[in-house]
mmCIF file of all heavy atoms in Angstrom:
data_model
loop_
_atom_site.group_PDB
_atom_site.id
_atom_site.type_symbol
_atom_site.label_atom_id
_atom_site.label_comp_id
_atom_site.label_asym_id
_atom_site.label_seq_id
_atom_site.Cartn_x
_atom_site.Cartn_y
_atom_site.Cartn_z
ATOM 1 N N MET M 284 56.926 51.376 25.550
ATOM 2 C CA MET M 284 56.552 51.459 24.120
ATOM 3 C C MET M 284 57.696 52.096 23.310
ATOM 4 O O MET M 284 58.144 53.195 23.611
ATOM 5 C CB MET M 284 55.270 52.313 23.993
ATOM 6 C CG MET M 284 54.804 52.556 22.589
ATOM 7 S SD MET M 284 54.200 51.126 21.702
ATOM 8 C CE MET M 284 52.558 50.949 22.445
ATOM 9 N N ARG M 285 58.153 51.402 22.282
ATOM 10 C CA ARG M 285 59.212 51.937 21.420
ATOM 11 C C ARG M 285 58.582 52.906 20.449
ATOM 12 O O ARG M 285 57.607 52.609 19.807
ATOM 13 C CB ARG M 285 59.885 50.796 20.695
ATOM 14 C CG ARG M 285 60.839 49.945 21.595
ATOM 15 C CD ARG M 285 60.967 48.535 21.107
ATOM 16 N NE ARG M 285 61.028 48.338 19.711
ATOM 17 C CZ ARG M 285 62.161 48.067 19.050
ATOM 18 N NH1 ARG M 285 63.293 48.034 19.610
ATOM 19 N NH2 ARG M 285 62.111 47.815 17.725
ATOM 20 N N LEU M 286 59.256 54.057 20.241
ATOM 21 C CA LEU M 286 58.710 55.086 19.383
ATOM 22 C C LEU M 286 59.711 55.339 18.213
ATOM 23 O O LEU M 286 60.891 55.500 18.478
ATOM 24 C CB LEU M 286 58.474 56.387 20.131
ATOM 25 C CG LEU M 286 57.394 56.374 21.187
ATOM 26 C CD1 LEU M 286 57.447 57.664 22.014
ATOM 27 C CD2 LEU M 286 56.032 56.223 20.513
ATOM 28 N N PHE M 287 59.206 55.406 17.033
ATOM 29 C CA PHE M 287 60.056 55.705 15.865
ATOM 30 C C PHE M 287 59.476 56.781 15.037
ATOM 31 O O PHE M 287 58.183 56.919 15.056
ATOM 32 C CB PHE M 287 60.304 54.471 15.012
ATOM 33 C CG PHE M 287 61.045 53.395 15.727
ATOM 34 C CD1 PHE M 287 60.390 52.347 16.307
ATOM 35 C CD2 PHE M 287 62.463 53.461 15.822
ATOM 36 C CE1 PHE M 287 61.068 51.343 16.931
ATOM 37 C CE2 PHE M 287 63.129 52.476 16.463
ATOM 38 C CZ PHE M 287 62.433 51.429 17.044
ATOM 39 N N TYR M 288 60.279 57.508 14.331
ATOM 40 C CA TYR M 288 59.772 58.545 13.474
ATOM 41 C C TYR M 288 60.095 58.199 12.032
ATOM 42 O O TYR M 288 61.220 57.761 11.744
ATOM 43 C CB TYR M 288 60.509 59.881 13.920
ATOM 44 C CG TYR M 288 60.485 60.951 12.865
ATOM 45 C CD1 TYR M 288 59.325 61.474 12.283
ATOM 46 C CD2 TYR M 288 61.706 61.554 12.473
ATOM 47 C CE1 TYR M 288 59.380 62.443 11.343
ATOM 48 C CE2 TYR M 288 61.740 62.587 11.538
ATOM 49 C CZ TYR M 288 60.574 63.018 10.979
ATOM 50 O OH TYR M 288 60.601 64.008 10.040
ATOM 51 N N TYR M 289 59.118 58.300 11.192
ATOM 52 C CA TYR M 289 59.337 57.970 9.763
ATOM 53 C C TYR M 289 59.428 59.279 8.973
ATOM 54 O O TYR M 289 58.387 59.914 8.822
ATOM 55 C CB TYR M 289 58.178 57.088 9.295
ATOM 56 C CG TYR M 289 58.260 56.729 7.838
ATOM 57 C CD1 TYR M 289 59.095 55.738 7.421
ATOM 58 C CD2 TYR M 289 57.542 57.397 6.887
ATOM 59 C CE1 TYR M 289 59.221 55.424 6.051
ATOM 60 C CE2 TYR M 289 57.643 57.145 5.528
ATOM 61 C CZ TYR M 289 58.502 56.134 5.118
ATOM 62 O OH TYR M 289 58.609 55.842 3.823
ATOM 63 N N PRO M 290 60.584 59.641 8.512
ATOM 64 C CA PRO M 290 60.702 60.961 7.822
ATOM 65 C C PRO M 290 60.103 60.972 6.453
ATOM 66 O O PRO M 290 59.506 61.936 6.076
ATOM 67 C CB PRO M 290 62.224 61.186 7.741
ATOM 68 C CG PRO M 290 62.854 60.101 8.605
ATOM 69 C CD PRO M 290 61.889 58.965 8.646
ATOM 70 N N GLY M 291 60.210 59.863 5.711
ATOM 71 C CA GLY M 291 59.688 59.829 4.357
ATOM 72 C C GLY M 291 60.605 60.584 3.370
ATOM 73 O O GLY M 291 61.387 61.438 3.793
ATOM 74 N N CYS M 292 60.456 60.232 2.100
ATOM 75 C CA CYS M 292 61.456 60.713 1.092
ATOM 76 C C CYS M 292 61.465 62.220 1.028
ATOM 77 O O CYS M 292 62.531 62.851 0.840
ATOM 78 C CB CYS M 292 61.081 60.201 -0.265
ATOM 79 S SG CYS M 292 61.019 58.411 -0.306
ATOM 80 N N ALA M 293 60.310 62.874 1.177
ATOM 81 C CA ALA M 293 60.269 64.331 0.999
ATOM 82 C C ALA M 293 61.207 65.013 1.989
ATOM 83 O O ALA M 293 61.659 66.111 1.753
ATOM 84 C CB ALA M 293 58.854 64.821 1.210
ATOM 85 N N SER M 294 61.466 64.333 3.115
ATOM 86 C CA SER M 294 62.360 64.998 4.115
ATOM 87 C C SER M 294 63.729 65.243 3.594
ATOM 88 O O SER M 294 64.502 65.977 4.135
ATOM 89 C CB SER M 294 62.418 64.083 5.366
ATOM 90 O OG SER M 294 63.090 62.913 5.026
ATOM 91 N N GLN M 295 64.080 64.543 2.505
ATOM 92 C CA GLN M 295 65.455 64.631 1.929
ATOM 93 C C GLN M 295 65.606 65.797 0.953
ATOM 94 O O GLN M 295 66.664 66.129 0.557
ATOM 95 C CB GLN M 295 65.883 63.341 1.268
ATOM 96 C CG GLN M 295 65.716 62.118 2.142
ATOM 97 C CD GLN M 295 66.554 62.209 3.389
ATOM 98 O OE1 GLN M 295 67.790 62.337 3.326
ATOM 99 N NE2 GLN M 295 65.902 62.173 4.564
ATOM 100 N N HIS M 296 64.515 66.332 0.472
ATOM 101 C CA HIS M 296 64.653 67.422 -0.514
ATOM 102 C C HIS M 296 63.528 68.447 -0.326
ATOM 103 O O HIS M 296 63.725 69.459 0.346
ATOM 104 C CB HIS M 296 64.687 66.871 -1.960
ATOM 105 C CG HIS M 296 63.717 65.782 -2.213
ATOM 106 N ND1 HIS M 296 62.395 65.993 -2.525
ATOM 107 C CD2 HIS M 296 63.833 64.419 -2.152
ATOM 108 C CE1 HIS M 296 61.806 64.864 -2.665
ATOM 109 N NE2 HIS M 296 62.625 63.893 -2.466
#
Side-chain angles (χ1 to χ4, degrees):
Chain M
M284 175 70 78
R285 286 150 38 104
L286 294 169
F287 295 97
Y288 159 56
Y289 178 79
C292 304
S294 68
Q295 306 300 302
H296 41 84

